[in-house]
Amino acid sequence: MTDNTHKKRVDFGKGVTIFLFLLPALLLFVGILIAPIIVSVYRSMYDWNGFSEGTFIGLENYKELFTNGSIKFMVGLKNALLIAFFSVFVQLPFSLFLALLLGRKVKGEKTFLSVFFMPVLISTVVIGQLWLKIYNPDYGILNRFLEAVNLGHLKHVWVGEVSTALGAVIVPTIWQYIGYHMLLMYAGVKGVSTDLREAAMLDGATKWQVDRYVVIPIIKPIIRVSVIFAVTGSLKTYDLVRILTEGGPFQTTEVPSTLLENMLFLRNRYGMGSTISVMLIVLCFAFALAITAAFKDKEA
Amino acid sequence: MGKNTKRDTASGYEYTEIKKTNPVTRFITYIFLIFWALVNIFPIYFMFTFSLKSNEEIFGENIIGLPRNWIWENFTSAMNTGNMGRYFANSVLVTTASIAISTFAALMATYALTRIKWRGSKLMNSFLMLGLTIPLQASIVPVYVILSKAHWLNHYSTLIIPYSAFALSMSILISTGFMVDIPYDLDESARIDGCGLWKTFFAIILPLMKPALSTIAIYSYLQCWNEFMFANVFISDSAHRTLPVGIKALSGAYTTDWGPIGAALVIATFPTLIVYIFLSNRIQESFIAGAVKG
């Protein structure tokens, strides 16, 4: 009997200790992430200017988001998905190619790796400013280069024309993170045992065949992580659009995050802003789950 | 057929590897790798050189060459009129405080999750890992409304608290990887010596987590140092701007004068790059650690 109460007291004390150890993390996590998300979900069903009580309107905001063209959500979503598409089908294959190449013990592989990774460390705001200088219609390197090689007719006001603005955002976005995915994949490639490679080579496989049939299947889990990061990262795009185009011209380069900010500062529609937030969370989780499922299917 | 199986030493292996490659392929490979390296170095070179040029050089004939006259005044005007010194100090303060808070909270949480046995620890861990997928945008509306109602916009803590929260999940993930590698016998012998859970944490586990600290800190540093969306939305007065927001403001003010903008970009970027030159392995490791289980 006394033993039992003693044990209970110990358990209780242990429980308190565990709670106290978790407390700082939980306060931050729940206070800044979880509680606001719950509030966002709740407020996404309100017509709300952020300061009054607001009116409950059910799912009207969601309906409007997809049907009211002036909100541009479909444009923003399309742009984000396009960035995701280029990310998965241009950026990642290129990263994988670099990782496989460097994984073959080329001379100076560490130096190449470090150089290729460098853009990841630079703030996207700085990258954006640099590209603005490159794209500058009068003095930018791009137009002056085109002029120098007699392709003057290809000159554009890169970030200001409807036909080129989105491309002008996509190129630096894709370029900056090639090194990031390359590094992850390279770590995977290096983890493949030399014996395994050599065994395949002795069986007469070429280097590309070794990569294709030995290395890639082994690093599949890393590729999955890269695909998830690439897609969710694209959905969250904000910095480069804000710096390069401000969503223009004529709102053709808006992405969900810039629209979200516009809802707060230009339109005072906090309810609708919350709706966009919720959509972003849902999309990020939906894509993460779908990608995980797709990779499981292939493995089976 | 010429399949060399010499593999007693690493260098011997490398030798046979390269031998087998067609020299033309090898040449093309190197040309390609060098080309790609230049593509990645060029923006940094371009930024550095135009930060030291006058408009005449940038807009004139010398657009990508080395500066003819090194105009260090660009840096002085970025620092003084452009206020970059202040923004730099703000970024250092916000970043350091965020790293300190999130790392400490993460280490404590990881201890409770990995070294104390209790039902629900797995569940709690998955709950905290939700933060890896939740976008920053998710909480921006309510947090903004609450902060503005509480008149709490435009403080350092306006950024420090959210940054700590958003760095938390990754910090827990990375420190879990390190903490499970510490032998559990240590805890038990500490218990036998009469150490409680608190003392075990502070006297035994924390000192052993020192190698993990740099990995965690590097990852959080880059997240906070370069963060733009929250900083842009929550900070409107110039006294509390961090570097990314400061650069945006500066480029709005100096649309026609490129030199000081270049100087500002250099000021924001070179500290990171200089550290990278010395710690490139460490920095790369922290990115890998952050993704392996992600």
Side-chain angles (χ1 to χ4, degrees), chain B residues 206-268:
Chain B
L206 263 195
L208 288 172
M209 285 296 280
K210 264 185 206 147
L213 287 182
S214 67
T215 310
I216 302 168
I218 288 166
Y219 203 95
S220 311
Y221 160 78
L222 284 164
Q223 255 191 334
C224 303
W225 188 261
N226 295 337
E227 202 284 332
F228 177 56
M229 187 172 185
F230 267 48
N232 192 32
V233 171
F234 290 169
I235 303 294
S236 53
D237 75 338
S238 99
H240 294 89
R241 276 180 196 144
T242 51
L243 283 167
V245 190
I247 286 170
K248 186 173 181 261
L250 192 70
S251 74
Y254 283 87
T255 39
T256 51
D257 209 2
W258 286 22
I261 298 177
L265 301 183
V266 170
I267 291 168

Side-chain angles (χ1 to χ4, degrees), chain A:
Chain A
M1 190 69 182
T2 39
D3 229 35
N4 215 346
T5 44
H6 177 70
K7 191 169 176 290
K8 262 186 193 157
R9 200 176 301 142
V10 170
D11 276 354
F12 181 72
K14 189 174 141 191
V16 171
T17 312
I18 291 169
F19 177 74
L20 288 176
F21 268 107
L22 286 170
L23 190 62
L26 281 177
L27 276 180
L28 280 173
F29 193 70
V30 174
I32 301 294
L33 272 90
I34 303 300
I37 288 174
I38 295 167
V39 175
S40 285
V41 173
Y42 170 74
R43 282 300 182 180
S44 72
M45 291 180 275
Y46 275 76
D47 182 14
W48 183 45
N49 63 14
F51 297 90
S52 66
E53 258 311 292
T55 4
F56 181 81
I57 52 169
L59 295 175
E60 278 308 307
N61 281 336
Y62 290 90
K63 233 167 96 186
E64 198 190 336
L65 199 60
F66 287 99
T67 51
N68 183 347
S70 76
I71 290 184
K72 301 281 178 192
F73 183 70
M74 292 312 276
V75 175
L77 190 59
K78 188 207 80 196
N79 291 340
L81 291 177
L82 202 65
I83 296 173
F85 177 85
F86 279 101
S87 223
V88 173
F89 294 103
V90 178
Q91 182 187 47
L92 295 188
F94 192 68
S95 303
L96 180 61
F97 175 69
L98 288 174
L100 292 172
L101 215 55
L102 291 181
R104 288 176 179 182
K105 307 197 178 198
V106 292
K107 252 191 211 122
E109 67 178 81
K110 276 282 166 196
T111 313
F112 282 121
L113 186 81
S114 299
V115 170
F116 297 168
F117 185 69
M118 234 159 26
V120 180
L121 303 168
I122 302 174
S123 146
T124 22
V125 173
V126 172
I127 299 272
Q129 288 295 337
L130 284 173
W131 282 81
L132 269 185
K133 303 298 179 229
I134 292 170
Y135 289 141
N136 186 293
D138 301 317
Y139 309 113
I141 300 171
L142 188 53
N143 275 352
R144 297 179 65 163
F145 171 76
L146 288 172
E147 216 161 63
V149 296
N150 271 328
L151 290 169
H153 61 282
L154 290 180
K155 285 194 336 187
H156 283 280
V157 183
W158 298 99
V159 295
E161 284 175 30
V162 173
S163 58
T164 55
L166 188 60
V169 171
I170 291 177
V171 170
T173 311
I174 299 295
W175 165 74
Q176 187 182 4
Y177 289 103
I178 284 176
Y180 175 70
H181 296 291
M182 173 208 66
L183 179 72
L184 302 189
M185 293 173 185
Y186 172 84
V189 170
K190 278 287 159 185
V192 177
S193 81
T194 332
D195 286 353
L196 214 56
R197 278 168 182 272
E198 278 181 29
M201 299 277 272
L202 285 174
D203 288 342
T206 64
K207 281 187 172 181
W208 286 117
Q209 283 171 329
V210 173
D211 285 339
R212 170 71 188 80
Y213 296 104
V214 179
V215 179
I216 292 182
I218 293 177
I219 65 167
K220 220 171 202 174
I222 294 179
I223 298 178
R224 190 195 72 216
V225 171
S226 270
V227 174
I228 293 176
F229 281 2
V231 172
T232 52
S234 304
L235 289 169
K236 295 186 263 187
T237 307
Y238 170 82
D239 301 12
L240 278 173
V241 174
R242 249 303 152 257
I243 298 295
L244 288 173
T245 65
E246 291 278 7
F250 311 113
Q251 291 199 288
T252 49
T253 59
E254 296 281 10
V255 285
S257 303
T258 55
L259 291 170
L260 165 59
E261 199 190 358
N262 293 348
M263 284 299 152
L264 302 191
F265 294 110
L266 301 179
R267 302 203 189 195
N268 264 337
R269 293 192 60 179
Y270 287 69
M272 188 56 96
S274 308
T275 311
I276 297 177
S277 286
V278 174
M279 284 308 301
L280 270 175
I281 306 169
V282 170
L283 284 168
C284 282
F285 275 95
F287 272 103
L289 289 176
I291 292 163
T292 310
F295 271 84
K296 274 222 178 85
D297 264 8
K298 274 189 197 161
E299 272 155 28

Side-chain angles (χ1 to χ4, degrees), chain B residues 41-69:
Chain B
I41 291 174
F42 177 75
I44 294 159
Y45 164 82
F46 175 56
M47 155 167 67
F48 183 65
T49 50
F50 90 75
S51 75
L52 290 166
K53 289 178 187 172
S54 63
N55 268 0
E56 288 72 45
E57 280 194 53
I58 300 169
F59 297 160
E61 290 312 302
N62 187 20
I63 185 161
I64 54 173
L66 285 169
R68 290 192 193 117
N69 302 310

